[in-house]
Amino acid sequence: MESKRNTEQKKTILNALMCADHPTASELFEVIRRENPRLSRATVFRVLGQFADDGVVRRLHFLGSDTRFDARTVPHAHCHCIKCGRVTDVFDGDFTPLLALNEVGDFTVLSTEIEFNGICADCSRATGDN
Amino acid sequence: MESKRNTEQKKTILNALMCADHPTASELFEVIRRENPRLSRATVFRVLGQFADDGVVRRLHFLGSDTRFDARTVPHAHCHCIKCGRVTDVFDGDFTPLLALNEVGDFTVLSTEIEFNGICADCSRATGDN
DNA sequence: TTGTTTGCAAATCATTTGCAGTAAC
DNA sequence: GTTACTGCAAATGATTTGCAAACAA
């Protein structure tokens, strides 16, 4: 299914996604709901799915987390904190060659994910030296 | 929860996983069930989860796929075919530096995933040039 | 008008969990 | 004997779907 009509809901969802930080569909729904209680959870899932299929946004899958969405289309890697769940973008140029790969052996690459799982600076600090 | 007792079921599941090719828990359950109809689906999920927590196996998350498991502990990347779902290992040495990274900026890296999504050779061939 | 899109509620489906019986150590 | 482990069935929870009303083009 492809997005064909430009509705208020789609604008609202894309806007919210651009302001949010790699949210899950449900997290985004909760944010939107405050300003826009009419918009349904099913629509958030449906529209995010369309956007992802259309290449407007990116779907992200992390260990122990629901599917997250990212409005950044520029290739980049992600750090995913397994303590607080926060996801941060990494634009390090060292990863560019890998992210630009079009094939690996005889496999045709359409998209590449580089994902670092670990502990973010805030959580290391909070945990201390143990 | 950590694995403490060495049961028949655990041996069976680990064996099956080593023979299988990045299966989901349910796929592995179906394979095991043929030889071992007593072993329950819940146990497969439970034991695979323990193994993953203990670092004996690796959990993998791909676009549009349930959680998959990998008995290979050596660092490596994956190709995930979005047509047939097959996952193949990539041991290319070019990825070694990235997989060996212990930190990215002030983020402490515990594990790294490199995932190529696209079309495998078999599926490209089957689809032809369209 | 005409075909999309939405909201709602119900349905799916992978995964988890409670519990009582079974087995490892 | 003690306590973890298993099987079963029921619960959970994210995501999807059917359908009738609402809306974009």
Side-chain angles (χ1 to χ4, degrees), chain A residues 98-127:
Chain A
L98 194 52
L99 291 167
L101 236 44
N102 290 314
E103 51 187 32
V104 174
D106 52 9
F107 185 91
T108 305
V109 177
L110 296 177
S111 75
T112 301
E113 304 290 334
I114 300 178
E115 162 193 339
F116 300 102
N117 292 291
I119 314 289
C120 73
D122 287 350
C123 286
S124 323
R125 215 172 291 126
T127 307

Side-chain angles (χ1 to χ4, degrees), chain A residues 1 16 18 28 39 49 51 58 64 73-74 81-82 89 104-105 112 114 118 130:
Chain A
M1 189 206 320
M18 291 196 291
L28 198 61
L39 211 159
F51 283 165
R58 215 170 132 188
T73 52
V74 181
C81 179
I82 60 175
D89 294 320
V104 174
T112 301
I114 300 178
N130 65 316

Side-chain angles (χ1 to χ4, degrees), chain A residues 23-86:
Chain A
T24 64
S26 291
E27 285 169 359
L28 198 61
F29 170 66
E30 294 304 336
V31 172
I32 289 170
R33 164 185 255 177
R34 287 180 215 140
E35 297 285 303
N36 211 320
R38 296 298 196 101
L39 211 159
S40 81
R41 173 183 247 96
T43 297
V44 174
F45 275 91
R46 224 162 357 202
V47 168
L48 286 175
Q50 288 176 8
F51 283 165
D53 292 345
D54 295 351
V56 175
V57 308
R58 215 170 132 188
R59 262 188 264 252
L60 303 175
H61 295 85
F62 296 104
L63 295 164
S65 162
D66 300 331
T67 299
R68 294 179 174 278
F69 294 86
D70 190 346
R72 290 256 194 185
T73 52
V74 181
H76 61 281
H78 291 105
C79 288
H80 171 232
C81 179
I82 60 175
K83 291 265 185 187
C84 66
R86 195 180 310 159

Side-chain angles (χ1 to χ4, degrees), chain A residues 4-5 7 9-10 40 43 46:
Chain A
K4 307 220 158 156
R5 288 181 188 173
T7 65
Q9 288 91 333
K10 286 178 190 169
S40 81
T43 297
R46 224 162 357 202

Side-chain angles (χ1 to χ4, degrees), chain B residues 9 12-13 29 32-33 36-41 43-44:
Chain B
Q9 287 92 333
T12 303
I13 291 169
F29 169 66
I32 290 169
R33 164 186 253 177
N36 210 319
R38 297 293 196 107
L39 210 160
S40 81
R41 175 185 246 96
T43 298
V44 174

